[in-house]
Amino acid sequence: MKSISVFVSAFFAVITLSAQHPSHKATEMKQFTVKEAKQGVAVDRHHFYVINSSTITKHDKESGELITLWDGSAAGVKHLNSGVVIKGKLYCATSNYPDSPMAGSIEIFDARTLEHIGCHSFGILRGSATWIDKYKGSWYVGFAHYSGNGSSEGKDTRWTTVARFDRKWRETGSWIFPENIIKLFTPMSNSGATWGRDGRLYCTGHDEPEIYVMEIPGTGYTLSHVETITTPVHGQGIAIDRTVNKKLIMYGIRRDKNLVIAFEIKQEHD
């Protein structure tokens, strides 16, 4: 029994060590000054899309030149959070932050024109919808809860969840974040996430210059923390450039400096 106990302790020590000492690093590639860079960014082959609370701006990926603007303030859109481009459509997670009870929806746009073409409302199902992505045919949505402004009565950051839905928006599973990540999110929450080709979920908080690499667990209901990567972006909505093969290129923002930043994540020994 003693040998088993020693083995188990060593196993968990290795797991903890790997989460504390990242094997990947982020290297900045380029940056663009965009005054609307406050909530998040999405990206496709030729453009990036800067998401602000009520607006979306489309920019040339090489020059940063503004292509077109969508303004949803007249339609009552008050808190877009982040987005993802899939097959020519831009899907944006939105909420009513800081109002309570919290509500959320997915707003859908034609990525070519930024015309608003659809909506899926979650109502007050889980909290504030902060990000959306698609992986292996299922939708994944982050639902935030907060420990300060914008929180629901009786709930705090610990109630933050990642939910999975099928093509008809029927829920097929959900997970919570481990305690160490919740502490890093608090008093805010999980602001962005995107699926990598490696089957891992790359998550951000609200302010820290870090990405938390998570995995869906084989058992239980708590996401597994694999690694923390220091980045040149400070939380908020992030995006993987899936038009680039064999490299992990990501886009994010620094809201304090109104920057959109492209960066590469690669092995430390590369």
Side-chain angles (χ1 to χ4, degrees), residues 209-238:
E210 296 176 334
I211 286 177
Y212 311 109
V213 187
M214 315 299 293
E215 288 183 343
I216 300 292
T219 59
Y221 43 80
T222 306
L223 294 169
S224 299
H225 178 210
V226 177
E227 183 180 352
T228 296
I229 303 172
T230 301
T231 71
V233 300
H234 288 214
Q236 302 292 30
I238 56 174

Side-chain angles (χ1 to χ4, degrees), residues 73-262:
S73 53
V77 176
K78 60 184 298 185
H79 207 276
L80 293 165
N81 288 299
S82 64
V84 62
V85 180
I86 299 173
K87 294 182 178 180
K89 295 179 180 179
L90 172 62
Y91 297 82
C92 289
T94 184
S95 69
N96 63 340
Y97 179 88
D99 295 343
S100 184
M102 292 185 292
S105 68
I106 304 300
E107 304 300 329
I108 309 168
F109 304 84
D110 182 330
R112 185 177 60 87
T113 63
L114 289 189
E115 177 189 1
H116 185 267
I117 57 174
C119 170
H120 178 81
S121 174
F122 296 110
I124 56 173
L125 175 66
R126 285 189 172 274
S128 292
T130 54
W131 61 266
I132 179 173
D133 201 2
K134 198 171 190 179
Y135 182 65
K136 290 188 174 180
S138 294
W139 291 107
Y140 288 79
V141 181
F143 290 98
H145 283 269
Y146 306 93
S147 295
N149 193 32
S151 61
S152 292
E153 185 177 354
K155 296 182 179 181
D156 55 27
T157 307
R158 294 173 299 173
W159 288 75
T160 299
T161 60
V162 173
R164 183 182 63 202
F165 301 89
D166 66 15
R167 290 179 175 86
K168 294 185 177 180
W169 292 106
R170 295 173 296 201
E171 186 176 331
T172 60
S174 64
W175 297 267
I176 63 173
F177 284 91
E179 183 178 355
N180 65 314
I181 302 300
I182 290 295
K183 287 181 179 179
L184 293 169
F185 288 162
T186 302
M188 301 305 286
S189 192
N190 171 214
S191 294
T194 183
W195 281 101
R197 293 190 184 99
D198 56 4
R200 292 174 170 175
L201 188 62
Y202 291 73
C203 301
T204 54
H206 192 267
D207 301 297
E208 295 300 320
E210 296 176 334
I211 286 177
Y212 311 109
V213 187
M214 315 299 293
E215 288 183 343
I216 300 292
T219 59
Y221 43 80
T222 306
L223 294 169
S224 299
H225 178 210
V226 177
E227 183 180 352
T228 296
I229 303 172
T230 301
T231 71
V233 300
H234 288 214
Q236 302 292 30
I238 56 174
I240 288 178
D241 188 346
R242 294 180 176 133
T243 67
V244 179
N245 295 320
K246 298 181 180 180
K247 290 184 178 181
L248 180 51
I249 307 298
M250 303 187 76
Y251 282 66
I253 66 170
R254 279 201 63 171
R255 61 188 298 163
D256 61 327
K257 295 188 175 183
N258 302 113
L259 291 177
V260 173
I261 299 173

